[in-house]
């Protein structure tokens, strides 16, 4: 049986992880409970359904095949013969604060000897709600793949059948000589792209002032918070000033950071943190479902600008420049270079890459896709979904954003010691939306 080798970027995520900086994605789903025992019943359902999902049985193991230098030191997915869903689906004691528990659980690395995912069921003390925190290692799944795995254990949905995917071409050890001219041209293009990306990264670090609150020394602790915004409010702003929904939600982050920094006494004057905006290059209906295919846009958030509409105009212009250049160019496209690093290079250099992330960007702001239809578990509807991104070494805050059922959900993850007032930042997000609405009124 041919091993399911990790894609280069998956391998990078697997090797850059440390105990203080786990590389797993998270999503906190809050459910309306039909009864006080709904949480326990949900845990039973998740465990029973997980046993039937092949993707949740996959563990990651090292591969060291002699004579294959491109694979030597890599890793592959394989079914875990000892897979037990009860090792991954965990029922907790009732809690009054889902985010407090989520922060504590997000700081704990996944067990690398088992399939790297977990589902933590958190019953609410009120008896009318419960939450499920899903954790998926970034090497097992990106946002789209994690969504598919989570959906597989929720209540069945009547979805359109996916289009058949073409079989990936076989990769021989020796390239077809008829393709050599194209391979040479592609290699030269890759070299040029790598030089361009490297130069852009170097330029991006010039004349930048970030905030100590965003680049504090990492402690490995975690805190989460969430805020919900009405999508109609976002559209109201967009229709007045133009641009996209994504432009508005990113500008909201910039304005919230300004408000938060000023209120805590850090000051926002001159602050322009570099934000990495991940861009998926994977086509879910046509591409192989495994493997991260990510690039990104890098931009400076206009935190120092006191004008809310000016901040939005700056974000819109920066995003337009990035889109015109495309996801294969610029400092945000560093992730694409993972394809050109041999497996052993990822294994040896992974820890260094994890430490170097702070030299590349100051804050992650990512959008996570969610379906437009309602989600349920055991008949209990999802009322909110807060996505959580990994927190790199040397960075204190990451923001993930999802739109679900007409509402925009901001999921905030922070170093708990560096950002003890994360709830205040979440409140600033909601305040910034109202500030933009007011600024757009005639």
């Amino acid at each position: 049986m041919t091993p399911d080798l990790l894609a280069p970027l998956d391998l990078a995520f697997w090797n850059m992880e440390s105990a203080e900086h786990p590389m797993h994605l998270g999503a906190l789903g809050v459910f309306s409970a039909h009864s006080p025992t709904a949480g326990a019943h949900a845990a039973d359902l998740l465990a029973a359904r997980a046993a039937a999902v092949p993707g949740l049985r996959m563990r990651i193991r090292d591969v060291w095949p002699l004579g294959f230098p491109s694979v030597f030191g890599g890793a592959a997915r394989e079914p875990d013969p000892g897979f037990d869903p009860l090792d991954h689906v965990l029922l907790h004691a009732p809690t009054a604060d889902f985010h407090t528990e989520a922060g504590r659980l997000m700081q704990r690395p996944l067990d690398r000897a088992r399939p790297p995912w977990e589902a933590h069921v958190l019953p609410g003390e009120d008896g009318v709600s419960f939450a499920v925190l899903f954790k998926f290692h970034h090497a097992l799944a990106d946002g789209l793949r994690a969504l598919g795995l989570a959906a597989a254990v929720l209540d069945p949905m009547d979805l359109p059948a996916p289009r058949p995917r073409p079989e990936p071409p076989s990769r021989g050890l020796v390239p077809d000589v008829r393709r050599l001219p194209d391979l040479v041209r592609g290699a030269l293009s890759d070299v040029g792209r790598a030089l361009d990306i490297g130069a852009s990264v170097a330029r991006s670090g010039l004349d930048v002032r970030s905030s100590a609150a965003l680049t504090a020394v990492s402690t490995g602790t975690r805190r989460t918070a969430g805020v919900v915004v009405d999508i109609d409010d976002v559209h109201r702003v967009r229709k007045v000033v133009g641009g996209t929904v994504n432009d508005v939600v990113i500008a909201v982050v910039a304005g919230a950071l300004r408000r938060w920094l000023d209120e805590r006494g850090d000051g926002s004057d001159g602050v322009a943190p570099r934000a990495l905006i991940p861009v998926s290059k994977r086509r879910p209906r046509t591409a192989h479902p495994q493997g991260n295919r990510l690039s990104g846009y890098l931009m400076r958030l206009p935190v120092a600008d006191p004008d809310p509409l000016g901040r939005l105009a700056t974000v819109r212009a920066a995003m337009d420049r990035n889109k015109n250049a495309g996801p294969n160019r610029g400092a945000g496209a560093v992730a694409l270079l993972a394809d050109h690093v041999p497996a052993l290079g990822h294994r040896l250099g992974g820890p260094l890459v994890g430490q170097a992330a702070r030299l590349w960007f100051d804050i992650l702001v990512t959008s996570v896709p969610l379906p437009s239809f309602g989600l349920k578990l055991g008949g209990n509807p999802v009322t909110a979904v807060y996505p959580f991104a990994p927190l790199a070494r040397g960075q204190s805050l990451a923001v993930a954003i999802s739109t679900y059922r007409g509402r925009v959900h901001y999921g905030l993850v922070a170093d708990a010691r560096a950002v003890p007032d994360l709830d205040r930042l979440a409140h600033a997000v909601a305040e910034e939306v109202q500030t933009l609405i007011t600024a757009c009124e005639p």
Side-chain angles (χ1 to χ4, degrees):
M1 178 173 155
T2 304
D4 182 14
L5 296 173
L6 294 190
L9 189 54
D10 297 345
L11 190 59
F13 286 133
W14 187 246
N15 285 300
M16 73 172 62
E17 180 175 65
S18 66
E20 295 78 20
H21 297 88
M23 295 303 299
H24 53 251
L25 311 169
L28 181 67
V30 180
F31 297 78
S32 176
H34 290 159
S35 73
T37 61
H41 178 55
D44 292 339
L45 279 178
L46 290 173
R49 293 172 179 176
V53 181
L56 296 178
R57 292 175 167 268
M58 304 301 285
R59 66 181 180 183
I60 296 176
R61 64 172 180 86
D62 296 335
V63 293
W64 300 92
L66 297 177
F68 296 88
S70 64
V71 177
F72 187 78
R77 300 179 187 86
E78 68 173 11
D80 181 2
F83 174 71
D84 185 346
L86 296 180
D87 292 332
H88 301 265
V89 179
L90 306 170
L91 177 63
H92 295 259
T95 178
D97 188 338
F98 295 138
H99 278 290
T100 296
E101 290 301 307
R104 181 180 63 83
L105 294 168
M106 282 295 290
Q107 73 187 34
R108 290 179 7 191
L110 294 165
D111 187 344
R112 292 167 68 94
R114 294 173 175 164
W117 69 275
E118 290 174 349
H120 297 269
V121 181
L122 310 171
E125 284 186 351
D126 56 13
V128 297
S129 65
F130 68 91
V132 179
L133 175 67
F134 289 99
K135 295 167 57 178
F136 293 98
H137 199 287
H138 221 326
L140 179 70
D142 61 6
L144 286 172
R145 176 68 172 161
L147 173 62
L149 292 173
V153 293
L154 297 177
D155 288 358
M157 300 283 181
D158 293 327
L159 302 178
R163 299 175 185 173
R165 291 187 297 267
E167 289 295 324
S170 60
R171 297 182 178 181
L173 297 178
V174 179
D176 187 335
V177 294
R178 294 170 295 183
R179 297 183 58 239
L180 285 177
D182 290 336
L183 292 172
V184 171
R185 281 193 295 270
L188 292 176
S189 175
D190 288 342
V191 170
R193 182 181 303 136
L195 292 174
D196 172 79
I197 293 172
S200 298
V201 170
R203 289 193 299 269
S204 71
L206 299 176
D207 301 323
V208 175
R209 183 185 166 221
S210 187
S211 167
L214 301 180
T215 57
V217 176
S218 303
T219 66
T221 59
R222 293 291 181 271
R223 186 184 303 274
T224 74
V227 63
V228 180
V229 174
D230 196 316
I231 190 65
D232 289 340
D233 290 338
V234 175
H235 281 302
R236 190 183 312 176
V237 174
R238 181 190 60 79
K239 289 176 181 177
V240 171
V241 301
T244 67
V245 167
N246 206 37
D247 295 340
V248 177
V249 297
I250 294 173
V252 166
V253 173
L257 287 173
R258 175 183 174 82
R259 188 184 303 268
W260 175 65
L261 291 173
D262 286 343
E263 289 182 356
R264 73 197 320 252
D266 290 348
S268 58
D269 290 345
V271 173
R274 296 163 299 175
L276 177 64
I277 317 294
V279 177
S280 176
K281 297 192 67 182
R282 186 158 63 83
R283 299 176 181 176
R285 287 188 177 275
T286 58
H288 194 276
Q290 305 282 20
N292 280 279
R293 294 295 302 164
L294 290 174
S295 182
Y297 299 143
L298 197 69
M299 62 178 294
R300 298 184 186 184
L301 293 179
V303 173
D305 189 342
D307 177 15
L309 296 184
R311 291 192 294 267
L312 178 50
T314 299
V315 167
R316 180 183 175 186
M319 288 299 289
D320 286 346
R321 286 194 299 270
N322 277 309
K323 292 172 185 175
N324 289 336
N328 295 329
R329 298 284 181 179
V334 166
L336 298 180
L337 301 183
D339 290 342
H340 308 291
V341 177
L344 188 59
H346 282 296
R347 180 174 294 275
L348 298 177
L352 295 177
V353 172
Q355 296 182 39
R358 59 185 172 184
L359 303 177
W360 176 23
F361 64 97
D362 303 306
I363 182 174
L364 180 73
V365 182
T366 183
S367 295
V368 181
L370 286 178
S372 58
F373 50 81
L375 300 170
K376 293 182 180 181
L377 179 57
N380 303 286
V382 174
T383 59
V385 183
Y386 301 100
F388 300 133
L391 199 59
R393 182 182 296 274
Q395 293 161 347
S396 302
L397 177 67
V399 180
I401 307 164
S402 286
T403 300
Y404 174 70
R405 306 288 283 176
R407 301 196 299 173
V408 180
H409 294 74
Y410 286 81
L412 311 179
V413 176
D415 186 286
R417 295 182 189 173
V419 187
D421 55 344
L422 187 63
D423 289 343
R424 180 61 205 135
L425 177 58
H427 187 60
V429 169
E431 292 177 327
E432 181 62 17
V433 173
Q434 293 306 312
T435 296
L436 280 169
I437 291 173
T438 301
C440 290
E441 292 176 349

